[in-house]
Structure formats: structure tokens, C-alpha cells
Amino acid sequence: MASDLNQIAQLLDATLDPIKHKSAEAALKLEEKKPQFSLQLLKIVATESLEPKIRLSGALCFKNYIRHNYVDEERNYKIPIEEVNTIKQELIGLMIACPPSIQTQLGEAISVIADSDFWDRWDTLVADLVSRLSPNDPKVNNGVMEVAHSIFVRWRPLFRSDELYLEIIHVLNTFAIPFLTLLSATDQQITAHANDKVALKGYFDTLSLMIKVFYDLSCQDMPPQFESNLEHISTLFHKYLTYENPLLATDDDSEAGVIETVKADICEVLQLYVTKYDDDFNRFTQVFINSAWNLLSAIGPETKYDNLVSKALHFLTAIAASTTHSAAFNNEEVLGQVVEKVVLPNVALRESDIEMFEDEPIEYIRRDLEGSDTDSRRRAATDFLRQLQGKFEQLVTSVASRYINHYLEQGKTNWKDKDTAISLFLSIAAKGSVTASHGVKTVNPLVNVVDFFQQHVANDLVSDVEPISKVDAIKYLYTFRSQLTKEQWQAAFQPLFQQMGSSNYVVYTYAAICVERLLFLTNESGARIFGRADIEPFAKDLLDHLFKLVEKENNPAKMQENEFLMRCIMRVLIVMNTGVIAFVDMVLDHLVGITNIIKTNPSNPRFYYYHFEALGAVVSFGSSADLSKLESRLWEPFNLIIQEEVNEFMPYVFQIFAKLLELNPSGALPNHYQALVSPLMLPTLWETRGNVPALTRLLAAIVPRASATIVAENQVQPVLGIFQSLLSGKKTEQNAFDLLESIVLSINRSALEPYFKEILNLLFTKLQGNPSESFKLRFVRFYHLVSAKVEAGLGADFFSNQTDLIQDKLYVQIYLKIVLPVSELLVRPVDRKLAVVSFAKSMGDSAAFAQRYQKGWALTCEAMLKMLVNAPKVTSGAGDDLVNEADVDDIGFGLGFTPLNTCKKAARDDYPEIQDVTVWVRQYLAEANARHNGAIASYMDRLTDEGRQAMATYLG
């Protein structure tokens, strides 16, 4: 055991080494499969003699192990129950004893366990936490509160449900009163240790965590224990909102102290209580408003106060939104004070902003972009003023305009004052939220954003001014992009493009951001405002320049730093569509070169997502010229990604490989793809969750091209083994059907038949459980696919015979209880068309429906006639060129799957030759009737009078 522990510790250490980390991670994967791996990790974390970095690495590894190996989708434990119980017994005490950095990782692991087990399978946890609380040991209390917060914080985003409220009541019954007792005790200890810096810091850390937990416990409903102690709690919170002690002040202007953190936490709680519980909290509100106002009026510009200022402004924004409290602001003098003392100081540029602009330009951009800086002073002040404007539009506009005009005048000689004027104007000109797709959609009717731009901003776009002034001009266009007509935009287009040639990082990046959003812009009918014809004359030069900006640095991390440039490249390629063929070699040279560099250290998920969307655009739009050339250009870099196990890139690579195959679904499988078949059969690649949808799609694309080889080399069973594995998981059952449909369409009946009964058995077992609606829909679509493929030796009779091999007369039950009722619920035109074809072929050519299932024939006819009342029409091409990228904010490293929209798989039409399904049904049934010597017409006696009348249209 000790040697195992030592070996795992060495491997954890090696994962921190850039040279050894790949082999170390692979070795840890093998260790994972050994018994009690999780407990070994906890022992390493608990071993104080080990280096802190190894203990931290162990905690991180434990968290990830628990995330992937604790339970399956049905909440069944994937590790032995003895191991589960030991983890629960040891974890809380260990976390409490560990340093903060390790506590964070273990806290996340506890949160994962709680998601599965709390509270019904871990009902002792809260009592365990309460038993550990101490009136005078802040280290222990901090650990307990870290655990509590990691569990209770899960409630914040959840919708109300009976299960959630039962969980909260269970917690409150045991935890609320001891929690309030500790809150008072902590307050007393802070007072008693006011001159002891070390002790004071410990108790303040406890207070900070307790306020976070207070928010957790209050986020769904106000706990009754809090309601009955609201006056005491409010008094205590007000004490610490106004508390000062120089012992806890930080010397660093950029580092917030624990007092600032506590005050910010309190403001967050105040915002919640004003928003949700104002009826009860109303009597305490005024004193907090006054204190927040005084705090904002007196606080300095240092960045260490930014979070506190932001949270205090959020609280005042909630006050401004409240009908009860907002009336106090409906006064010109008060609003003048608001603008002068609160808004202006927080929208004005500070030295720290200018330093960030120059020294950390990418960070400046991310914070400055609309929607990205929710915790910045400028954003919070803007939101506050906009909320007031929503209540008192005329008055706020009038007061703010005076300051705007003053700062514009000052700005003639001081560019910083002009920046303040523009920021203030942006605050009052926009109404409602600013959307990522269209910027400001609704403007304040009391101002004219186009006139303001032309008079005060436009000149900065073409003049030699400070870089920040240039950025202000671009940002103005970016923000109000929906308010300018195409003609007005065309005047601004050229100056905007020229800014991409700026030597200033922020200027050329903002220009790229603005161009990208402009090319994304659509009108009310969804048509693109600027299309291929508008950018074709300069698209190649624009792309070449953007690539050169990306490639300025050869360092992988530095090259990926600026996702905005790659997003612009992606958008230009999408808008150019097939026009990319004219310079596809140049684009591929750059994209492949970038791939080869960044694969050594994927560090920015947004960058490489846009990068692969750009490659997807080249594949989708540039393939018509020479598909085989594209395949050969991409094979080498993509195959290296698979061989080197660049996990972050593999789901994207598999999608692009699949798209390349789907573009030419016929013909033999090229040799290089043939080399992928064997690795795809191995479980290793499928173990990474993010790979599964892309791998399924790739295998489903390979099967039609390699069907003869798969049959000849006895690989049908391994492929079906993958189908079975996918079918067993709720999250992958749709992928299972994707693969199964590909198999049924591609593998001939003689090779498929030995396995078909078992396939149906697996599907029926799922149907007997508690299947999702989506599963039933996919099953019925699969039924229709088999039923319709009479010409391939399948059809309803084949399905019926195979079903009854499992259990006599089972087919009738499946058909009546599942196939017929669920067919009505099919939505996509391709699926409804397939169902009509399936029904028609069952009526026209099924011996079983002709003889054994005579009532079934009538029911099938009725189902088909219902669908033909609103006959499905399959269309293609509409809106295909409008590609929206995925939301990449939450992309993790190999944890999830992100689909490439430029490689989107089109809905498969199994009968593209049938353009008008009504005409086809009439023709098919007439031919079937002739084939069977008028038998089909005779079956119409099985119908009601109404049914016969409806069928006369199709079989006169």
C-alpha cells in the first residue's frame, strides 16, 4: 500500500511537469482502475510531510475522479459502497484540516457527491457539520462553512420544487439555529479581538463565509429562523457594512482586504432581500441605503475596492427598481448628486484602467466588452443609471445631459473627459439589455445616437487621437450597430477596416470585434445585412491580415490569447461561403500552421473553438472544388492530434472528419480513414465523455463507406457492441440511434439478420422501463426506417417476424401501443415523410398486414391519412448560410461536447426522390394494387365510410 501511495504521489508530481505530464496522466488513468484509488488520493492529501503542490494535485485528481466515477446517470454507485462510506466519513474532517487551496478542490468534490447523495443518502452530513462548530476556533469553523457553502450554493440557480424545499427544510431544521448562534459568537469574538490582527483575520474569514452561507440559505425563501431574528441580523450586518479597522487594511492598492470582501458579501445579501423579501425587510432598508450611499461617496478609486463598489451599486440598483424605494430618486437635485458623486467617479477612466490598457490589453478588452464586465465599476454604475432612467426617463436624461455637455466641452482639450462624456452618454442612450447579437436594440427616444456619433465621435475614427479615444469610437459603433442603416454603415466601413492596421493591440482587436459583429448582423426577417458581395473584394486581404495578427507570436499560449481575432476570421469565412474556394490554399496554410502550434498547449477554449469553426467553414464551403485535396491537407495534422491524444481538440477533429465523409457518402472509404476503423472499435476513445457524440457521428459516416469491409472482416458485432454501450446511457441513447440507423441503411440483410433480434430485445427492454419521449420518438423513427426499406429485404414483415421471435404476438402490442400513437408526435418533415412511406408500404406490400393484421391495416391507413391532411414537405437551403456559433463561456477541457455549427449535420432525407409525398402515395398504392391483382382496393372494406371516402383520393 505504501509503495502504491508513493508511486501515485510521484505521478501526481509528474503531472505538473510540462514534459512528463502526458505520460503521467496516462499512468494515473491505469491507477484509477485499481481498488480504493480514491482513498489513496485522500491519504496523499492528508499527508502533511508531502510537498503542498503534490497534496494540491492529489485534491484536484480526487475531485476529477469523483466527478467521473462516483455515480452513473441513474445515481448508481460506480465504486464499492464501502469506499463510498469511507469517503463520506473522512472527507469532512480532512477538508476542515487542509489549507484553503486544497479546501477549494475538496469542496468541489463534496458538491459533486452532494449532487448525488444529499440529502436522502447522506442525511447525517448536516448534523456532522453542526457537531464540529466551535465558538472560538475560526479554522474549524471556516472549514465547516466552506463545506456548507459548497453544498448549499447549489440551490442558488435552481427552480422551486417540492424535492428542493424538502432538502432546504431538512438543512434548516438542524443548521439554522446553530448557524445564528455562531454568527453572534463570531461577532463577539471580533469585538473582543479588535486589537489582535491574527485572531481578527481568522474571525473575519469566518464572518465572510457565513454571509455567503446566509445568502445560500435565503436564496429560495427566507428561512423562518431568519425571519424571527431579522432585527438582530440587520443590526449585525449594518455594523459590518460600516465597520473599519486599520489592522485589516491591505497595503496593496489592487488587493482587496477581508473587510472589503465582507462588505461586498453583505451588499449581495441586501440586494437579494430588497428584491425578494421587501415586505419583511422594508423597515430596515433605509439605514442600509444611507450607509451604501455614504460608502460610495467616500470610497477611493483603488482597484481593491472595485468588487465592493460594484456590489454596493447592485444593491442601489435593486433599490431603484423597487416601487417602494425608488421615489426618493425622483428629484433633480438628488439625481444630480447621484450622477456627480456615484456615477461619474465610477465611469471615469482611472490610472489603473490606462495601465491595464497598455500592459494587459486582452484583459482590458474582456472587462470592457458589453456584458463581460458585470463586476466592474463602470458597468455597475451604468446599470444603476439605466435603472433610474427606466423609472424617470425625462429627468435622468435632462440631468445626465448637462454633465455630458460639460465633459464634451472639457474633452476638447482633455481626451479623458471626452471618454467620460461618451461613457455617460452610452449609459443613458441604451434602453433595456444590450444583446450580444445586435447590441442596443432600443434607444432612449430623447437622444439621437446617430447625430451624437457624427458630431462628437466619428472624427476620432479617422483622426490621430489617443488609442483609447479610437477605441471609444469603435465601441460606440459596436454598441449601436443596429441603429445605423446599411448606407450609414457603408460610410463607416472603410475607416473601421483601416483600424485593423493599427499598431495598438486594443484598437485592432476592437476593430475586429466590431467587424465580426457587423457581419453577424441580420434584419428582422433573419437575412444578413452585410453579405458575401459586400466583403468579397477585400476578403482575402482582410483574412491574410487577421492571420498575421494571430501569428505575431509563435508561443502556443500567446498565439491563442486573442480569441476575438479568430472569431473574426471564422465569421469572414462563413459570410464568404463558397467564395472561400478562390483562396482556400492560403486559408488552409494559415489554419493548419496554427493548429500545429497550439496543439502542443491548448490553453484558450474560445480561441480553439473559433479556430475549428473556421476549419469547418473551409470544409463545408470549400470542398466543392476538390474534396480529396482537402482531406489530404487535413489528414496529417488531424491524425497527429489523435495520436498525441490532444483531448481538447479531438471532438472537433472527429466532427470535421465526419463532415468530410458525409459530403461524399458513396464510394470506397479512403485508405487513411480505413486506419481509423480499428481504433474506433476500442473503448479508450469512448471513455472521454466529450468525444462520444463526435465519435458516433464519425463511425456512422464511416459505416456506409466501409460496409463491405466491416462485413468481410467480421466487424458488425463490434460496431453493434458500441451501439449497445451507447444505448445503455440516457445521455447517449440518441447517439445509439444515429449509429443504428447508419448500420441498418448500410449493412445488407443477410449480415444484419443474425443480430436483429438482439437489437430489438435491447430496444424493447428500454421501452419497458421509463423511456423518455425522445427515446420513443427515435424508436418509432427507427421502426419506420426498417418498415420502409422493403427494397433492401427489410420492411414491416421483417420487423414483425423478428419481434415475434422474442415473444409471440409482441409485435401487435408494440405497433398499437408505441408505433401508431407516437407517429402522430413526429415533428420534423423528414420523419413524417418517412412514416407516410412506411405506412404506405405496409398497406401495399406487407403480407402480415394483408392477412394477419387486418384491423392493423385499417389503423395504419387511418394514421397515414391523418398525416396526409397536412402532408410533410421537406425543404433545404433556407437559412443555411446563417451560422451561429456555440456559447463557449462554459467550455471545459474535454469535459463537454461542443458541436461545430459550420459542420452541422443536415437532417437526413431517406427518400429525397419523393418530392410530393401525396402524389407518391397515390402512385405507389395504385402500382401495389396492380401487382396484387386488385387486393389492396379490396382491403378498403376494412375502413369506415369516412375512411373509404378519404382513401378514394389515393386509390380510386
Side-chain angles (χ1 to χ4, degrees):
M1 184 74 78
S3 63
D4 288 348
L5 210 63
N6 190 40
Q7 184 183 346
I8 294 169
Q10 286 174 357
L11 289 173
L12 289 168
D13 191 22
T15 61
L16 307 173
D17 184 328
I19 297 167
K20 299 178 186 172
H21 79 100
K22 286 267 183 195
S23 58
E25 283 166 8
L28 276 174
K29 281 279 178 197
L30 296 174
E31 291 292 330
E32 272 185 21
K33 295 176 170 46
K34 294 180 182 177
Q36 299 197 333
F37 177 70
S38 64
L39 302 183
Q40 298 277 59
L41 290 174
L42 288 183
K43 284 178 184 171
I44 287 169
V45 173
T47 305
E48 293 184 6
S49 59
L50 287 171
E51 285 184 76
K53 65 174 184 174
I54 295 175
R55 295 176 68 196
L56 180 58
S57 180
L60 183 64
C61 187
F62 176 79
K63 176 189 76 175
N64 290 331
Y65 178 82
I66 290 297
R67 183 174 282 153
H68 296 296
N69 299 285
Y70 190 68
V71 287
D72 62 19
E73 292 165 11
E74 308 291 336
R75 285 182 74 208
N76 300 311
Y77 292 121
K78 292 166 73 175
I79 56 177
I81 188 65
E82 299 78 16
E83 196 169 336
V84 168
N85 291 336
T86 307
I87 288 170
K88 289 178 184 175
Q89 287 162 16
E90 301 295 330
L91 193 51
I92 306 302
L94 176 58
M95 179 173 166
I96 289 169
C98 282
S101 60
I102 293 175
Q103 280 186 343
T104 302
Q105 300 303 328
L106 295 181
E108 288 180 31
I110 289 170
S111 187
V112 172
I113 294 170
D115 268 335
S116 157
D117 290 6
F118 188 73
W119 61 285
D120 57 334
R121 298 199 298 198
W122 201 3
D123 57 0
T124 59
L125 172 61
V126 180
D128 183 13
L129 291 175
V130 168
S131 71
R132 295 172 188 272
L133 292 174
S134 162
N136 55 10
D137 189 339
K139 186 177 187 303
V140 169
N141 293 335
N142 290 351
V144 172
M145 288 302 144
E146 282 280 11
V147 175
H149 180 50
S150 71
I151 296 165
F152 307 155
V153 74
R154 300 173 304 121
W155 301 337
R156 293 193 186 192
L158 299 181
F159 291 107
R160 283 171 175 254
S161 69
D162 291 344
E163 293 82 4
L164 175 60
Y165 272 65
L166 276 173
E167 182 178 320
I168 293 172
I169 289 164
H170 163 79
V171 169
L172 292 173
N173 286 343
T174 308
F175 192 79
I177 297 303
F179 174 82
L180 289 174
T181 303
L182 182 64
L183 189 63
S184 295
T186 303
D187 170 43
Q188 289 163 15
Q189 293 287 1
I190 287 171
T191 304
H193 293 85
N195 298 314
D196 181 344
K197 183 175 180 177
V198 175
L200 195 60
K201 172 72 167 62
Y203 287 116
F204 249 93
D205 285 338
T206 305
L207 181 62
S208 177
L209 283 164
M210 292 194 78
I211 295 166
K212 288 180 175 70
V213 172
F214 184 91
Y215 189 111
D216 299 335
L217 296 170
S218 305
C219 66
Q220 291 289 335
D221 210 345
M222 193 196 304
Q225 298 90 338
F226 292 0
E227 192 173 348
S228 55
N229 286 279
L230 203 52
E231 185 167 357
H232 170 68
I233 292 166
S234 296
T235 303
L236 189 147
F237 281 0
H238 186 258
K239 171 182 174 180
Y240 289 104
L241 184 63
T242 55
Y243 184 91
E244 294 296 338
N245 189 326
L247 284 180
L248 294 179
T250 56
D251 298 329
D252 188 340
D253 285 350
S254 62
E255 183 193 350
V258 69
I259 289 182
E260 288 78 52
T261 303
V262 163
K263 290 181 179 182
D265 293 335
I266 290 170
C267 287
E268 206 165 359
V269 168
L270 294 175
Q271 182 188 354
L272 174 73
Y273 269 64
V274 166
T275 306
K276 289 192 75 166
Y277 315 122
D278 198 41
D279 287 348
D280 295 300
F281 193 63
N282 181 33
R283 65 187 192 275
F284 307 111
T285 306
Q286 191 57 50
V287 67
F288 286 108
I289 296 173
N290 295 340
S291 295
W293 178 265
N294 292 336
L295 185 153
L296 287 166
S297 302
I299 207 160
E302 294 82 6
T303 54
K304 67 180 178 181
Y305 300 123
D306 284 3
N307 187 48
L308 171 55
V309 169
S310 174
K311 293 290 191 277
L313 283 166
H314 290 168
F315 164 55
L316 289 184
T317 303
I319 293 293
S322 157
T323 309
T324 314
H325 305 293
S326 61
F329 294 106
N330 191 14
N331 175 289
E332 189 171 352
E333 188 179 338
V334 171
L335 282 172
Q337 292 288 304
V338 166
V339 174
E340 195 166 309
K341 292 194 171 179
V342 174
V343 177
L344 281 170
N346 291 306
V347 298
L349 271 176
R350 298 169 297 170
E351 280 307 312
S352 58
D353 297 322
I354 297 169
E355 284 172 15
M356 182 178 281
F357 184 97
E358 293 168 351
D359 301 336
E360 298 177 79
I362 194 68
E363 189 60 30
Y364 177 90
I365 294 161
R366 287 181 185 141
R367 288 196 187 184
D368 188 55
L369 266 180
E370 188 72 47
S372 304
D373 55 351
T374 48
D375 284 330
S376 78
R377 291 185 183 222
R378 183 174 276 194
R379 176 61 44 233
T382 297
D383 289 344
F384 179 39
L385 194 58
R386 278 187 190 155
Q387 185 63 59
L388 288 170
Q389 184 190 289
K391 294 277 185 184
F392 320 113
E393 186 169 73
Q394 183 96 38
L395 192 55
V396 170
T397 305
S398 169
V399 170
S401 293
R402 289 205 307 269
Y403 287 95
I404 290 166
N405 292 332
H406 167 75
Y407 279 93
L408 281 172
E409 189 60 35
Q410 298 281 102
K412 289 175 182 176
T413 54
N414 184 338
W415 64 270
K416 291 181 187 175
D417 285 343
K418 186 173 181 181
D419 173 87
T420 301
I422 293 171
S423 295
L424 196 54
F425 182 83
L426 288 169
S427 300
I428 64 160
K431 288 184 76 171
S433 59
V434 182
T435 66
S437 58
H438 285 74
V440 172
K441 296 188 84 169
T442 312
V443 295
N444 180 347
L446 303 176
V447 298
N448 188 316
V449 297
V450 177
D451 283 357
F452 187 90
F453 176 74
Q454 290 170 340
Q455 290 171 27
H456 306 293
V457 183
N459 196 48
D460 289 347
L461 204 57
V462 293
S463 303
D464 183 18
V465 293
E466 284 287 330
I468 291 183
S469 299
K470 194 80 74 177
V471 168
D472 284 343
I474 299 168
K475 188 181 177 186
Y476 192 99
L477 285 172
Y478 164 83
T479 305
F480 294 113
R481 55 191 178 275
S482 291
Q483 304 305 315
L484 275 66
T485 64
K486 184 166 183 177
E487 291 68 33
Q488 288 168 330
W489 260 118
Q490 280 168 331
F493 220 45
Q494 206 53 43
L496 184 59
F497 276 115
Q498 285 169 354
Q499 295 314 314
M500 281 205 239
S502 168
S503 60
N504 184 279
Y505 188 105
V506 181
V507 172
Y508 68 66
T509 301
Y510 244 114
I513 290 166
C514 191
V515 167
E516 188 276 327
R517 287 290 85 185
L518 185 57
L519 295 178
F520 182 75
L521 209 57
T522 56
N523 60 23
E524 288 176 3
S525 63
R528 194 177 272 121
I529 290 173
F530 283 91
R532 173 175 163 180
D534 296 298
I535 65 166
E536 196 151 20
F538 49 82
K540 182 183 178 185
D541 291 340
L542 174 58
L543 285 166
D544 192 50
H545 180 66
L546 284 165
F547 278 124
K548 282 173 180 164
L549 290 174
V550 170
E551 294 161 350
K552 270 185 173 181
E553 302 278 352
N554 277 327
N555 175 284
K558 202 72 182 159
M559 184 178 275
Q560 293 168 79
E561 176 185 80
N562 195 330
E563 68 265 20
F564 305 106
L565 297 176
M566 187 51 75
R567 191 184 193 187
C568 191
I569 289 167
M570 172 199 78
R571 187 68 55 204
V572 172
L573 291 170
I574 290 169
V575 174
M576 280 301 294
N577 203 280
T578 53
V580 74
I581 291 168
F583 41 81
V584 70
D585 287 336
M586 178 273 284
V587 173
L588 273 175
D589 286 343
H590 285 294
L591 289 174
V592 168
I594 291 167
T595 304
N596 290 333
I597 291 171
I598 66 173
K599 74 181 169 76
T600 59
N601 179 22
S603 56
N604 184 348
R606 290 185 185 87
F607 180 94
Y608 57 73
Y609 163 70
Y610 296 132
H611 173 71
F612 281 103
E613 283 283 21
L615 277 163
V618 174
V619 166
S620 295
F621 305 137
S623 58
S624 55
D626 191 343
L627 184 59
S628 59
K629 181 181 171 184
L630 255 179
E631 286 178 333
S632 59
R633 281 297 308 272
L634 293 175
W635 170 254
E636 187 180 342
F638 281 10
N639 190 42
L640 279 173
I641 285 167
I642 296 169
Q643 287 179 358
E644 293 169 13
E645 296 182 11
V646 186
N647 292 323
E648 297 86 349
F649 289 3
M650 280 157 76
Y652 297 128
V653 165
F654 295 141
Q655 287 178 77
I656 293 174
F657 273 155
K659 184 68 176 179
L660 285 163
L661 287 169
E662 289 158 4
L663 288 166
N664 178 23
S666 57
L669 189 69
N671 288 338
H672 41 255
Y673 288 110
Q674 200 75 49
L676 283 177
V677 175
S678 294
L680 285 179
M681 299 298 155
L682 300 172
T684 323
L685 285 173
W686 298 84
E687 286 172 0
T688 303
R689 194 172 63 203
N691 285 347
V692 172
L695 280 172
T696 307
R697 182 176 170 188
L698 176 56
L699 189 53
I702 285 173
V703 168
R705 302 277 295 270
S707 55
T709 310
I710 287 170
V711 172
E713 296 182 3
N714 297 319
Q715 287 181 317
V716 174
Q717 195 167 356
V719 174
L720 286 171
I722 291 169
F723 154 74
Q724 183 176 355
S725 174
L726 293 171
L727 191 69
S728 65
K730 264 194 178 168
K731 289 180 180 172
T732 54
E733 61 190 21
Q734 297 293 312
N735 304 122
F737 278 109
D738 291 340
L739 182 57
L740 182 59
E741 288 179 9
S742 178
I743 294 165
V744 166
L745 286 169
S746 311
I747 306 294
N748 60 53
R749 173 177 162 167
S750 60
L752 189 63
E753 192 165 0
Y755 307 103
F756 205 81
K757 176 188 163 189
E758 184 54 33
I759 291 170
L760 293 181
N761 209 2
L762 292 168
L763 295 173
F764 295 159
T765 303
K766 286 276 272 196
L767 282 172
Q768 281 179 324
N770 184 22
S772 62
E773 285 304 308
S774 60
F775 181 88
K776 288 191 273 190
L777 286 165
R778 283 306 295 268
F779 170 78
V780 168
R781 177 190 153 80
F782 169 68
Y783 168 82
H784 286 307
L785 184 66
V786 176
S787 168
K789 292 294 177 184
V790 177
E791 65 279 4
L794 303 176
D797 289 353
F798 174 74
F799 202 104
S800 163
N801 293 334
Q802 292 289 318
T803 302
D804 288 348
L805 287 173
I806 297 169
Q807 181 186 315
D808 192 37
K809 297 181 182 174
L810 177 59
Y811 176 75
V812 174
Q813 294 178 48
I814 297 289
Y815 194 73
L816 295 179
K817 292 180 180 176
I818 304 288
V819 174
L820 286 177
V822 175
S823 293
E824 291 181 37
L825 305 176
L826 293 169
V827 174
R828 298 191 312 169
V830 286
D831 296 342
R832 293 176 67 79
K833 177 170 135 181
L834 179 63
V836 169
V837 172
S838 157
F839 286 147
K841 289 189 177 181
S842 297
M843 291 166 60
D845 278 306
S846 165
F849 277 88
Q851 295 150 22
R852 274 185 292 162
Y853 309 134
Q854 294 186 17
K855 281 185 183 174
W857 192 96
L859 292 168
T860 301
C861 183
E862 287 171 17
M864 184 187 75
L865 289 170
K866 260 191 201 174
M867 284 191 161
L868 289 172
V869 169
N870 183 15
K873 289 187 177 118
V874 177
T875 57
S876 64
D880 283 354
D881 64 333
L882 290 178
V883 179
N884 297 326
E885 73 274 9
D887 178 1
V888 287
D889 286 344
D890 298 319
I891 290 180
F893 290 95
L895 295 178
F897 170 73
T898 306
L900 293 174
N901 283 288
T902 50
C903 289
K904 202 162 17 181
K905 189 176 182 181
R908 191 187 70 245
D909 184 355
D910 293 297
Y911 290 93
E913 68 277 10
I914 301 174
Q915 294 297 306
D916 187 326
V917 75
T918 309
V919 171
W920 178 85
V921 168
R922 192 177 296 123
Q923 185 182 339
Y924 182 85
L925 290 179
E927 289 172 0
N929 192 44
R931 272 199 309 277
H932 299 292
N933 302 316
I936 311 304
S938 70
Y939 302 156
M940 286 172 65
D941 293 343
R942 303 171 183 178
L943 301 173
T944 61
D945 290 343
E946 189 183 348
R948 277 196 292 276
Q949 193 177 342
M951 266 303 286
T953 313
Y954 298 98
L955 195 61

